[in-house]
Amino acid sequence: MRVFTMLPLRHWREAGPAAAAAEAAGFDAVMTVELGHDVFAPLAFAALATHRIELTPSIAVAFPRSPTITASQAWDLQANSHGRFVLGLGSQVKGHNERRFGIAWSPPAPRLKDYVRALRAIWRCWETGEKLDYQGAHYKLTLMTPDFSPEPTGLPMVPVTIAAVGEAMLRVAGEVCDGVRLHPLCSCRYVEEVMRRSGRCRANFDVFGGEFVVTGPDAKTVAEGLDEARKRIAFYASTRSYAPILALHGLEELGAKLHAMSVRGRWHEMPPEVSDDVVLIFAACGTYGAIAPAIEARYGGLADAIELNFPAGSPAGLQRELLTDIHRIPHRFEGFDTRW
């Protein structure tokens, strides 16, 4: 099984050394998230400091960005990393698109499918000289002059994976993408009952975990990690977009209660509403000595990659040892098929 880890986001000078350390420890990919800081810039510094490791945003919010803008950023990251960039995209929920980004909302699954196809039309134009003439339901792109076209890279096309929760977005991932990023609020049962309907060739389709991995050197550290997971689960479960996952586990009332509390701004009161039993639905947990079997029990045969973050100062030898154990877990992904 492949293992991803998070890059520092706030201070760009930390991104390169952190990526180099992750590469030396044996991580397969470094990733960023689009929260309070830019999602692409740390990956640029990571690209220049590393040679092997994959680089990916998990995820960049698609719709506030023109496909042409995203295509350009992905192109330069792919070129400067010599083919190690994977574009992770997500739709975000309606409220953030309308009230945080100020853009009109429309059904996200067909729009994101159109977005991915537009990206590939732009990239084919740049790499092969094919005329840009993309006519989609949401994006129509017909102008690309030489001055605005980057040089061909001679590299494979950038792989595109998308964040997916509901069945509609999972179908988009299976139809037009190279992989899927399952949301942290995603149980093994949900993966088994919903995700496996994709129908794609699994050898070339990357499934990034979902759920939380909580580990540490001792029981106290694991308990603290579970409390952090509890906070995030409370936040995610308050969002109505994730109601289908909660419903699968009979947690509709919990979701409704957390949503009502979030509307009233009672954020700090929400985590205690999430019991240990609920946390363990969405988290693989155990000390360093027990976490690899716990991950295999939850993800074996279902996911190809997971996220794992060590505390600052964790010995490199310890990281390499644990990563070696996790790498032994079988997975079905063999590599992206992104030939032109």
Side-chain angles (χ1 to χ4, degrees):
M1 180 173 286
R2 304 198 305 148
V3 188
F4 294 17
T5 194
M6 193 67 64
L7 278 179
L9 301 178
R10 181 179 178 185
H11 300 295
W12 289 354
R13 292 183 186 277
E14 297 176 358
E23 185 172 74
F27 281 97
D28 300 278
V30 289
M31 53 191 271
T32 54
V33 291
E34 186 152 41
L35 293 173
H37 298 278
D38 183 74
V39 72
F40 288 112
L43 295 168
F45 291 97
L48 301 180
T50 56
H51 305 281
R52 171 194 60 81
I53 203 164
E54 187 177 293
L55 313 160
T56 184
S58 189
I59 52 74
V61 181
F63 302 147
R65 297 177 171 94
S66 156
T68 308
I69 296 296
T70 301
S72 179
Q73 290 176 297
W75 189 267
D76 284 345
L77 283 161
Q78 176 80 331
N80 285 280
S81 67
H82 305 291
R84 293 182 287 128
F85 181 69
V86 177
L87 178 59
L89 292 174
S91 61
Q92 249 301 353
V93 297
K94 180 180 180 181
H96 283 265
N97 276 274
E98 290 184 335
R99 293 159 46 210
R100 183 157 69 98
F101 293 113
I103 62 171
W105 179 250
S106 60
R111 185 173 177 181
L112 194 56
K113 181 192 291 189
D114 201 23
Y115 194 102
V116 172
R117 288 173 169 166
L119 287 172
R120 290 183 174 142
I122 296 165
W123 290 331
R124 284 193 297 271
C125 171
W126 290 344
E127 184 69 23
T128 69
E130 176 182 311
K131 177 178 172 59
L132 180 62
D133 185 18
Y134 182 76
Q135 302 287 341
H138 299 84
Y139 301 99
K140 301 185 187 304
L141 305 170
T142 60
L143 176 64
M144 189 62 65
T145 63
D147 284 346
F148 293 104
S149 300
E151 301 79 3
T153 65
L155 298 167
M157 187 181 288
V158 177
V160 180
T161 71
I162 62 169
V165 177
E167 292 188 56
M169 200 65 81
L170 287 167
R171 284 195 297 270
V172 172
E175 290 172 11
V176 302
C177 298
D178 302 294
V180 65
R181 305 289 169 92
L182 300 176
H183 194 273
L185 199 70
C186 185
S187 67
C188 288
R189 182 178 169 192
Y190 189 77
V191 175
E192 290 170 338
E193 296 190 14
V194 179
M195 173 55 214
R196 297 180 74 174
R197 302 174 191 172
S198 164
R200 282 288 297 277
C201 175
R202 277 291 278 113
N204 305 125
F205 189 81
D206 188 27
V207 178
F208 177 83
E211 300 198 18
F212 298 87
V213 175
V214 178
T215 190
D218 50 44
K220 179 177 180 294
T221 308
V222 172
E224 292 170 351
L226 284 173
D227 283 338
E228 287 301 312
R230 190 188 319 277
K231 293 176 185 176
R232 291 181 62 190
I233 290 168
F235 170 72
Y236 290 135
S238 71
T239 303
R240 286 176 290 188
S241 299
Y242 307 131
I245 299 171
L246 299 176
L248 192 65
H249 296 278
L251 299 173
E252 300 97 321
E253 290 186 9
L254 174 63
K257 184 175 184 179
L258 291 170
H259 175 71
M261 294 174 74
S262 71
V263 170
R264 297 182 179 93
R266 295 166 57 188
W267 299 101
H268 297 297
E269 301 173 37
M270 289 162 52
E273 299 294 331
V274 180
S275 69
D276 288 349
D277 288 343
V278 172
V279 173
L280 293 176
I281 291 173
F282 301 106
C285 66
T287 60
Y288 288 149
I291 193 60
I295 292 170
E296 183 168 14
R298 282 182 172 266
Y299 297 102
L302 297 175
D304 305 298
I306 59 163
E307 177 186 354
L308 179 62
N309 298 297
F310 287 97
S314 296
L318 169 67
Q319 296 186 49
R320 282 192 292 269
E321 182 179 350
L322 184 53
L323 290 172
T324 297
D325 289 341
I326 298 172
H327 283 150
R328 294 192 183 105
I329 300 172
H331 64 93
R332 298 168 65 186
F333 175 69
E334 296 177 6
F336 295 111
D337 183 4
T338 49
R339 293 169 293 182
W340 293 97

